[in-house]
Amino acid sequence: MLGVTDLPTYLAGLALIILLPGPNSLYVLSVAARRGVRTGYTAAAGVWCGDAVLMTLSAAGVASLLQGNAVLFGIVKYAGAGYLTWLAIGMLRAALALWRERRQPVADAVPQAQEGAAERPFRRALVISLLNPKAILFFIAFFVQFVDPGYAYPALSFLVLGVLAQLASVLYLTALIFSGTKLSAAFRRRKRLSAGATSAAGALFLGFAAKLSLAGG
């Protein structure tokens, strides 16, 4: 179909990959839990735009450039790790503020922390996506396995694979967003749960940053 081979295997692999936790999905879940469905979709839109850019770059051969240039790969890699670390520190500071203000209603404490951070969910999610050279390498390494080398229009094959990947992402992030809004009700009732979840998210982002910075090209 349009130069795509072994579509069932691709869809099965895509489902497994989408379900693996990563900084993008964790950030969308966190935003939805703290600020509701609309803001959750704003963050998700940043993820989808970032993924679309990475897929386009992969199809254009930028992944090969990164893979063959250790200096360029290192610059992008450490920039991404630094940004994830900055986000993690912000989350941990917000969690600390919640612990200190746990005698106040959670509904008051959380908005204050977020307003102070001047959070822009779309931009943050977009930057998280774009500053991930491993994602570019993944897209081309995964996609190329399902493109018929004899097909006359390989760009069309990449487009089909990319559209399917985006549809899977839309379904998955939608599930996370609505799960996050249910969690938000529990966070409002239980202040320590909110602070603990924010701390866990910050720690996970530090883990993502460390994993990216230690990864080889």
Side-chain angles (χ1 to χ4, degrees), residues 96 139 167 215:
L96 181 60
F139 278 126
L167 288 175

mmCIF file of all heavy atoms in Angstrom, residues 96 139 167 215:
data_model
loop_
_atom_site.group_PDB
_atom_site.id
_atom_site.type_symbol
_atom_site.label_atom_id
_atom_site.label_comp_id
_atom_site.label_asym_id
_atom_site.label_seq_id
_atom_site.Cartn_x
_atom_site.Cartn_y
_atom_site.Cartn_z
ATOM 1 N N LEU A 96 8.144 21.453 46.195
ATOM 2 C CA LEU A 96 8.604 21.967 47.490
ATOM 3 C C LEU A 96 7.669 23.045 48.009
ATOM 4 O O LEU A 96 7.342 23.096 49.206
ATOM 5 C CB LEU A 96 10.031 22.511 47.350
ATOM 6 C CG LEU A 96 10.673 23.077 48.624
ATOM 7 C CD1 LEU A 96 10.762 22.001 49.699
ATOM 8 C CD2 LEU A 96 12.058 23.640 48.317
ATOM 9 N N PHE A 139 12.976 7.629 14.382
ATOM 10 C CA PHE A 139 11.982 7.690 13.315
ATOM 11 C C PHE A 139 12.524 7.108 12.013
ATOM 12 O O PHE A 139 11.852 6.320 11.348
ATOM 13 C CB PHE A 139 11.512 9.130 13.093
ATOM 14 C CG PHE A 139 10.457 9.581 14.066
ATOM 15 C CD1 PHE A 139 10.622 10.732 14.804
ATOM 16 C CD2 PHE A 139 9.305 8.838 14.243
ATOM 17 C CE1 PHE A 139 9.651 11.144 15.713
ATOM 18 C CE2 PHE A 139 8.329 9.234 15.143
ATOM 19 C CZ PHE A 139 8.510 10.400 15.879
ATOM 20 N N LEU A 167 -1.801 9.513 14.335
ATOM 21 C CA LEU A 167 -3.125 9.061 14.782
ATOM 22 C C LEU A 167 -3.017 8.246 16.073
ATOM 23 O O LEU A 167 -3.815 8.409 16.997
ATOM 24 C CB LEU A 167 -3.801 8.231 13.687
ATOM 25 C CG LEU A 167 -4.296 9.003 12.462
ATOM 26 C CD1 LEU A 167 -4.839 8.039 11.405
ATOM 27 C CD2 LEU A 167 -5.378 10.006 12.865
ATOM 28 N N ALA A 215 23.551 8.824 26.493
ATOM 29 C CA ALA A 215 23.337 7.987 25.302
ATOM 30 C C ALA A 215 24.409 8.261 24.262
ATOM 31 O O ALA A 215 24.851 9.399 24.077
ATOM 32 C CB ALA A 215 21.947 8.263 24.708
#
